[in-house]
Amino acid sequence: MLSALINGVASAAATHEIGVDERGLSYGDGVFETMRLQAGNVLFIDSHITRLRGGCERLGFQPPSDATLRSDIVKLAREQRDGVVKLIVTRGAGGRGYRPASTLLPTRIAILYPPVGDTANTGIAVRWCATRLARNPRLAGIKHLNRLEQVLAQNEWDDVNIAEGLMMDTEGELVCATSSNLFIVGDGVLTTPDLRFCGVRGVMRGQVIKLALATGFSVRERALQAEDLLSASEAFVTNAVRGIRSIVSLDEHRWPIGTITAHLHAALGNSAMEGSLRCAQE
Amino acid sequence: MLSALINGVASAAATHEIGVDERGLSYGDGVFETMRLQAGNVLFIDSHITRLRGGCERLGFQPPSDATLRSDIVKLAREQRDGVVKLIVTRGAGGRGYRPASTLLPTRIAILYPPVGDTANTGIAVRWCATRLARNPRLAGIKHLNRLEQVLAQNEWDDVNIAEGLMMDTEGELVCATSSNLFIVGDGVLTTPDLRFCGVRGVMRGQVIKLALATGFSVRERALQAEDLLSASEAFVTNAVRGIRSIVSLDEHRWPIGTITAHLHAALGNSAMEGSLRCAQE
């Protein structure tokens, strides 16, 4: 059974009062955040809430207040020290048809999942996904609920030794992994796809860019091709729950856990409490 | 309050036991059909169920049996003579993360909405939408639950005199309207976008093509541009609930309710009981 709150109301059951006319269900009309709860703190909460608010605004609805969202998270997570907190905010429930009524109130769903393990960087093997990402600048960067491409991509493999799948867009640009952003390192410069057409602008992606710049590395956001990855000296993926993980294997290609990646991984560990939310009761 | 069934279990309330980990909500991981209930019959049920099954298969999960789906619809609709029946089938509930467990059981949600009026063809005014459709052949044609583009497009206007919005894809091809397919007529030939990159392959679109061919008209499915519409002698949109509706106005352009459209509208009325499902109790 999952622990969850719907519009701030708790239930211990896995099923809750979500309306059949919930627009999050009908159309994927909403956004979500997936956050790491570590030692009683939800990490990078400021960045998560900022992105969530930005997503709602780009979809054209007013999100709940920051205080309401933080209150839900604290109420949900205060009994646990470690886990994964998922926060879904939809445009609301009601009506039939795509056009949203202007009177809708957003639905908030907060769910607490078990922990997923530590953030050590042991290096991961990845593969290519055949599923491509469609290009739509109107939706690019937002962590919205229309995620069929990611579902189809992850459904392509079940080898537990493969931790991630790399995704190209329909024009063949390398964009991201199924649930992570991608960075490559070459000549001391970090490069990450610019996400102008598709992909999610990850909270951990933003944090890594910030740490890299603060450390004196150059960071470039631009279109990437598969060849850029294959010729990189280091490569890693980022995700708010798992942190930084080096790519060490892709088909016949091998990369080391590079020194710049290791440096950023250490810096990330030191920065993890920045903008976090204390949930645990003392 | 809506009348609805979840996995065949009735409730009179608008809220029901949908899990917070329902994949239809988390990722839009499912498909839906919207059907016309008319004089105790759900119209074109065979085509709706065929498309729904095809959508589930393309998404990689096994839909419930036809008998189960029909049984849900009859159970839901038997007390009403007219209305709109919506059927959602998702991959199921459970897990965190995009990858679906192989053990999931699909969720069925059937909802009965009030009637939307008759299917007379009085002609409609349409507008252009700024929101574009992304191209992804992997998802093209399926009536899946990832519908943010349609939501954003319908949210562009609230003039009740404008009944539909026309949508282009990101490359500028004319694809469809927000909740209808598009046909144009010129030199006695019907042409409709081929939907190879995006758009929903409508049940009514299929029925109109069938009726047109049976009547001796030529039908072409190909890429369309805005100019093709502007130079057409007749134009109409199709939708399973509303039937055929002539486009009579777009910006400064005007079209008549053409003779070929009127012929197809009459033929559609005569064909409406083909493959329908009797729900009303005698």
Side-chain angles (χ1 to χ4, degrees), chain A residues 72-109:
Chain A
D72 281 358
I73 293 169
V74 170
K75 190 170 171 186
L76 177 75
R78 64 188 168 192
E79 305 289 350
Q80 291 283 331
R81 288 188 60 76
D82 298 292
V84 175
V85 173
K86 182 167 176 173
L87 180 63
I88 298 174
V89 173
T90 81
R91 199 187 301 262
R96 188 190 73 76
Y98 298 124
R99 181 177 291 111
S102 57
T103 53
L104 297 177
L105 290 175
T107 303
R108 313 179 322 262
I109 303 171

Side-chain angles (χ1 to χ4, degrees), chain A residues 132-144:
Chain A
R132 299 290 182 103
L133 295 162
R135 291 181 158 198
N136 196 342
R138 186 78 175 77
L139 294 171
I142 306 175
K143 199 169 173 83
H144 55 65

Side-chain angles (χ1 to χ4, degrees), chain B:
Chain B
M1 288 294 195
L2 295 171
S3 180
L5 303 178
I6 299 185
N7 294 325
V9 179
S11 169
T15 55
H16 297 272
E17 295 222 327
I18 295 170
V20 291
D21 56 351
E22 166 56 52
R23 294 179 61 90
L25 172 64
S26 305
Y27 308 126
D29 193 5
V31 296
F32 71 111
E33 295 292 326
T34 309
M35 297 166 275
R36 185 174 180 93
L37 172 66
Q38 182 173 296
N41 296 281
V42 171
L43 307 190
F44 305 113
I45 188 79
D46 294 349
S47 300
H48 282 291
I49 287 186
T50 298
R51 180 176 61 177
L52 183 142
R53 299 193 73 77
C56 295
E57 279 154 22
R58 281 182 59 196
L59 296 185
F61 68 95
Q62 190 65 33
S65 74
D66 289 9
T68 301
L69 297 172
R70 286 167 187 267
S71 162
D72 281 358
I73 293 168
V74 170
K75 191 170 169 184
L76 177 75
R78 65 189 166 192
E79 305 289 349
Q80 291 283 330
R81 288 188 61 75
D82 298 293
V84 174
V85 173
K86 182 167 177 174
L87 181 63
I88 298 173
V89 173
T90 80
R91 200 187 301 263
R96 190 191 71 78
Y98 298 125
R99 181 178 291 112
S102 57
T103 52
L104 297 178
L105 290 175
T107 303
R108 308 172 335 254
I109 303 171
I111 314 170
L112 182 61
Y113 290 93
V116 292
D118 67 23
T119 52
N121 181 19
T122 49
I124 61 168
V126 303
R127 74 194 302 276
W128 289 108
C129 293
T131 306
R132 300 290 182 103
L133 295 162
R135 291 182 158 198
N136 196 342
R138 186 76 173 79
L139 293 172
I142 306 176
K143 200 169 171 82
H144 54 65
L145 296 172
N146 279 198
R147 298 265 77 107
L148 271 172
E149 291 168 335
Q150 285 74 21
V151 170
L152 294 175
Q154 284 205 358
N155 210 21
E156 289 183 31
W157 82 97
D158 57 7
D159 177 350
V160 293
N161 297 310
I162 304 289
E164 256 291 17
L166 300 175
M167 299 190 75
M168 294 182 186
D169 69 17
T170 50
E171 301 301 313
E173 278 186 20
L174 175 54
V175 179
C176 57
T178 61
S179 60
S180 320
N181 289 111
L182 174 71
F183 285 81
I184 62 172
V185 182
D187 299 323
V189 175
L190 271 79
T191 308
T192 190
D194 55 18
L195 310 180
R196 67 203 189 286
F197 291 126
C198 47
V200 175
R201 203 165 289 277
V203 160
M204 189 57 70
R205 175 183 184 274
Q207 182 66 13
V208 166
I209 290 173
K210 198 172 95 176
L211 290 172
L213 294 173
T215 317
F217 296 117
S218 295
V219 180
R220 287 187 199 137
E221 298 181 60
R222 65 169 174 84
L224 282 190
Q225 307 296 327
E227 302 73 51
D228 296 315
L229 169 62
L230 300 182
S231 61
S233 55
E234 306 178 25
F236 62 90
V237 293
T238 62
N239 163 298
V241 173
R242 300 270 189 179
I244 291 174
R245 291 188 294 173
S246 287
I247 296 176
V248 296
S249 162
L250 167 65
D251 299 334
E252 306 308 311
H253 298 273
R254 298 291 176 272
W255 291 264
I257 293 179
T259 52
I260 291 178
T261 308
H263 181 91
L264 290 167
H265 184 266
L268 178 63
N270 295 332
S271 77
M273 290 303 131
E274 279 176 23
S276 71
L277 179 65
R278 183 79 190 153
C279 297
Q281 293 170 311
E282 300 304 331

Side-chain angles (χ1 to χ4, degrees), chain A residues 126 128 166-167 174-177 179-185 190-195 200 205 208-209 220 222 224-226 228-229 234-239 245 247:
Chain A
V126 303
W128 288 108
L166 300 174
M167 298 189 75
L174 176 53
V175 179
C176 57
S179 59
S180 319
N181 288 112
L182 174 71
F183 286 80
I184 62 173
V185 182
L190 270 79
T191 307
T192 190
D194 56 18
L195 311 178
V200 174
R205 175 183 184 274
V208 165
I209 290 173
R220 289 190 196 135
R222 64 168 176 86
L224 283 190
Q225 308 295 325
D228 296 315
L229 169 62
E234 305 179 25
F236 61 91
V237 292
T238 62
N239 165 298
R245 291 188 293 173
I247 296 177

